[in-house]
């Protein structure tokens, strides 16, 4: 627990601490534990990597990764080829390694580690397009790197480059197809089949992710890509009891990292590292200063990204336990010089992770691309299906920076079929009324029918992002769908502003339809005309001349005389 807190607060990937624990326990350490089983280390390392990739995929937001997929694909294919070639050339000409050993090192260290990237980047306030590219790259580039390492570690001549390219493309396609299929089927089943206990949902999610890896590997595809894609689909599918599932996966990921790193620390022999220290520093310098920048700038040349972002991506290519695990493949295959390859990779990972991890936030600030960490926090919504009642019970936690603070329950404007039934505030619960004002830290229980469940959750997230004016700001739908304040929004706003300065009669006149307004005006004119004619007739009868122009009063007077 202390190691977890130290790694979280220092910004260092946890692998350094756990590798150190393994080294202290192993040979030349305090406990002098003898362990040299590279094959067992490789098997356990693969199993731990599956769990780490699954945990990373579950925490990856699709709206951030989707725009980054083309760039991540280029980095995972073209970028890997550039990195392998440049690093292998440096290892051969500067360190004096044979070409097979140099190619193995170049392939091994070309894989960015998912655990290191996830643990560091999520604590650095970077733009979502950068974190999306780096996280997707770390999930994608394991597959081609594993194929290359296995090919270079095989006994006998290495296949031609075009054969390797074909194998990589085929395995990636098979792994992607299986991962998407397993993830979609698993999310569909979990959303429509109620399990007997809520504690089974986290286990089911991880089991589906592991199934994706097994199916991909059995189909001679990339199991690592399959498990990452399946987990990413599950993580964005709005599954029941999601916070509990996410916490379970996070804890399982930490456990996998601890076991894997400690085991790798046990496998190394510290006194053998001294002879390979400077060769590792030289190879790492070529990788960090030359190969990685070339990889990023060449792969991302078709994309219009600022040079500052490319420079940060060049420095953020963190290595971790994955290269060390892959370095056990030539040891298991019995390749000559494989022990030296393992030692060089081990020293390289420790030295450059120790340098890159803590300096990444500083570089982001120096390049002026670090974001403000005080952005609006997303709502924590947990859904519990009410299968027999054909409904859902949503548990909504309002975070400290949510714009739902100060909004009345009636102003939520939830869809018909949804209602806030209970509010928990300061460890006290009460039934809210429409004028009840929500506050930070409140927990809401929202009951919704099955047809409007998604609309209700989307509305709650929209209010959390935009406050009571969420509908005006274009955030009526699902989170992340922001539309410009134009069109009907502007028209309605202008109408409302003009209406404020009118009298009631003017307002009714402006709000009356044109045809109805014309009818009323016509009737008013006709009524005025009839009234005027009536007054004229009465006036003639009293004192006006008759129709022939005779003076009626004078005629009557003469007749009387």
């Amino acid at each position: 627990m202390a190691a977890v807190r130290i790694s979280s607060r220092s910004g260092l990937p946890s692998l350094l601490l756990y590798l150190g624990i393994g080294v202290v326990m192993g040979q030349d350490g305090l406990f002098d534990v003898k362990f040299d089983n590279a094959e067992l280390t490789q098997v356990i390392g693969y199993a731990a990597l599956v769990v780490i990739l699954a945990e990373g995929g579950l925490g990856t937001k699709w709206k951030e990764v989707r725009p980054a997929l083309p760039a991540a694909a280029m980095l995972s294919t073209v970028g890997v080829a550039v990195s392998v070639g440049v690093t292998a050339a440096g290892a051969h000409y500067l360190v004096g390694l044979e070409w097979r050993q140099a190619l193995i090192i170049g392939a091994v260290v070309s894989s960015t580690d998912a655990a290191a990237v996830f643990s560091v980047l999520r604590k650095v306030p970077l733009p979502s397009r950068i974190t999306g590219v780096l996280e997707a790259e770390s999930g994608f580039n394991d597959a081609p790197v594993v194929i290359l390492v296995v090919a270079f570690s095989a006994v006998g001549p290495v296949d031609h480059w075009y054969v390797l390219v074909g194998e990589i493309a085929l395995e990636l396609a098979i792994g992607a197809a299986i991962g998407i299929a397993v993830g979609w089927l698993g999310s569909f089943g979990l959303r429509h089949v109620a399990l007997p206990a809520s504690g089974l949902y986290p286990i089911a999610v991880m089991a589906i992710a592991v199934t994706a890896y097994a199916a991909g590997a059995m189909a001679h595809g990339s199991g690592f890509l399959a498990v990452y894609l399946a987990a990413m689909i599950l993580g964005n599918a709005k599954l029941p009891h999601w916070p509990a599932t996410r916490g379970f996966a996070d804890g399982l990921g930490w456990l996998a990292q601890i076991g894997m790193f400690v085991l790798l620390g046990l496998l190394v022999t510290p006194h053998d590292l001294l002879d390979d220290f400077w060769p590792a520093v030289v190879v790492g310098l070529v990788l960090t200063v030359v190969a990685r920048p070339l990889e990023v700038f060449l792969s991302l040349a078709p994309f219009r990204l600022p040079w500052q972002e490319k420079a940060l991506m060049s420095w953020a290519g963190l290595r971790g336990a994955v290269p060390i695990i892959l370095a056990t493949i030539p040891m298991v295959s019995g390749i000559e010089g494989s022990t030296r390859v393992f030692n060089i990779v081990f020293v390289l990972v420790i030295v450059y992770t120790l340098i890159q991890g803590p300096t990444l936030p500083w570089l982001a600030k120096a390049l002026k691309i670090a974001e403000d960490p005080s952005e609006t926090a997303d709502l924590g919504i947990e859904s519990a299906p009410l299968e027999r009642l054909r409904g859902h019970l949503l548990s909504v936690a309002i975070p400290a920076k949510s714009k739902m603070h100060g909004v009345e329950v009636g102003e939520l404007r939830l869809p018909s079929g949804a209602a806030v039934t209970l509010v928990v505030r300061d460890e006290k619960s009460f039934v809210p009324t429409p004028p009840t004002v929500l506050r930070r830290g409140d927990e809401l229980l929202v009951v919704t029918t099955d047809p409007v469940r998604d609309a209700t959750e989307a509305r709650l997230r929209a209010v959390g992002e935009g406050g009571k004016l969420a509908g005006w700001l274009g955030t009526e739908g699902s989170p992340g769908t922001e539309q410009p304040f134009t069109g009907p929004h502007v028209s309605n706003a202008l109408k409302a502003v003009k209406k404020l300065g009118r009298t009631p009669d003017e307002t009714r006149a402006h709000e009356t339809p044109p045809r109805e307004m014309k009818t009323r005006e016509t009737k008013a004119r006709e009524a005025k005309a009839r009234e005027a004619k009536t007054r004229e007739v009465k006036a003639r009868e009293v004192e006006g001349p008759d129709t022939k122009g005779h003076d009626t009063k004078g005629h009557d007077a003469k007749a009387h005389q």
Side-chain angles (χ1 to χ4, degrees), residues 52 93 112 116 127 149 207 214 228 249 254 337 341 374 395 409 426 429 432 455 459 498:
I52 293 171
Y93 291 108
T112 56
V149 174
Y228 181 75
W254 275 105
V341 170
S374 60
S395 176
V409 172
D426 298 331
S429 59
R459 177 59 190 169
K498 292 179 179 178

Side-chain angles (χ1 to χ4, degrees), residues 368-558:
K368 298 181 179 180
I369 56 177
E371 289 188 342
D372 184 7
S374 60
E375 292 184 350
T376 302
D378 192 13
L379 290 177
I381 301 180
E382 180 176 357
S383 174
L386 306 175
E387 189 70 18
R388 294 177 56 188
L389 302 179
R390 298 178 179 271
H392 293 267
L393 180 63
L394 304 181
S395 176
V396 183
I398 303 178
K401 300 176 183 178
S402 174
K403 292 186 179 180
M404 192 177 286
H405 173 77
V407 177
E408 297 181 1
V409 172
E411 293 173 333
L412 293 175
R413 290 181 289 142
L414 298 179
S416 178
V420 181
T421 59
L422 194 69
V423 175
V424 180
R425 178 179 299 165
D426 298 331
E427 300 182 355
K428 295 181 181 180
S429 59
F430 60 92
V431 177
T433 58
T436 300
V437 179
L438 302 177
R439 299 178 182 175
R440 301 182 182 92
D442 286 354
E443 294 184 10
L444 316 180
L445 290 183
V446 181
V447 177
T448 172
T449 57
D450 189 66
V452 299
R453 185 260 189 187
D454 292 339
T456 302
E457 183 173 342
R459 177 59 190 169
L460 290 171
R461 294 188 184 276
V463 176
E465 293 180 0
K468 62 181 67 177
L469 298 179
W472 289 73
L473 298 176
T475 55
E476 191 74 36
S478 60
T481 57
E482 298 180 356
Q483 301 177 4
F485 191 66
T486 57
H489 302 295
V490 172
S491 178
N492 294 335
L494 291 177
K495 290 178 181 179
V497 172
K498 292 179 179 178
K499 184 176 178 181
L500 294 176
R502 298 175 187 152
T503 63
D505 293 336
E506 291 175 340
T507 300
R508 286 193 295 270
H510 279 84
E511 292 179 350
T512 305
R515 182 175 297 177
E516 184 179 350
M517 184 183 299
K518 184 176 180 181
T519 304
R520 290 182 181 179
E521 292 177 353
T522 303
K523 290 180 179 179
R525 287 196 297 268
E526 292 176 354
K528 290 181 179 179
R530 287 195 299 269
E531 185 178 355
K533 188 175 182 180
T534 301
R535 287 197 300 267
E536 182 181 355
V537 171
K538 289 182 179 181
R540 289 178 179 178
E541 291 178 353
V542 174
E543 56 184 358
D546 59 6
T547 58
K548 294 181 179 181
H550 299 289
D551 188 352
T552 304
K553 291 184 179 180
H555 179 75
D556 291 343
K558 291 180 180 180

Side-chain angles (χ1 to χ4, degrees), residues 338-378:
S338 58
T339 302
R340 189 184 184 192
V341 170
F342 180 84
N343 292 337
I344 291 176
V345 172
F346 191 93
V347 174
L348 185 153
V349 168
I350 291 179
V351 171
Y352 286 93
T353 302
L354 185 62
I355 296 174
Q356 289 176 278
T359 57
L360 187 59
W362 173 85
L363 182 61
K365 293 180 181 179
L367 295 174
K368 298 181 179 180
I369 56 177
E371 289 188 342
D372 184 7
S374 60
E375 292 184 350
T376 302
D378 192 13

Side-chain angles (χ1 to χ4, degrees), residues 7 50 101 137 147 170 180 230 232 253 264 274 333 446 500 551:
S7 63
V50 169
Q101 299 174 358
E137 179 198 9
I147 298 172
L170 180 61
I180 293 173
M232 186 169 61
L264 291 173
L274 298 177
S333 301
V446 181
L500 294 176
D551 188 352

Side-chain angles (χ1 to χ4, degrees), residues 218-290:
M218 292 179 64
H220 301 285
S222 173
F224 294 125
L225 182 60
V227 67
Y228 181 75
L229 290 178
M232 186 169 61
I233 293 175
L234 291 170
N236 291 270
K238 300 178 182 179
L239 300 179
H241 305 288
W242 178 244
T245 302
R246 188 71 187 90
F248 176 81
D250 191 31
L252 200 60
W254 275 105
L255 184 62
Q257 291 184 52
I258 293 172
M260 177 177 60
F261 297 151
V262 170
L263 194 61
L264 291 173
L266 288 173
L267 185 62
V268 72
T269 304
H271 68 263
D272 292 339
L273 299 178
L274 298 177
D275 296 334
D276 298 317
F277 179 82
W278 289 113
V281 172
V282 172
V283 174
L285 191 64
V286 173
L287 172 67
T288 306
V289 179
V290 182

Side-chain angles (χ1 to χ4, degrees), residues 93-136:
Y93 291 108
L94 298 180
V95 179
L97 295 178
E98 296 181 358
W99 270 115
R100 181 185 288 269
Q101 299 174 358
L103 288 172
I104 291 175
I105 289 182
V108 164
V109 298
S110 295
S111 174
T112 56
D113 184 69
V117 171
F118 294 149
S119 63
V120 173
L121 290 185
R122 291 178 183 175
K123 299 179 180 66
V124 181
L126 297 177
S128 59
R129 60 182 175 273
I130 297 180
T131 57
V133 171
L134 293 174
E135 290 190 5

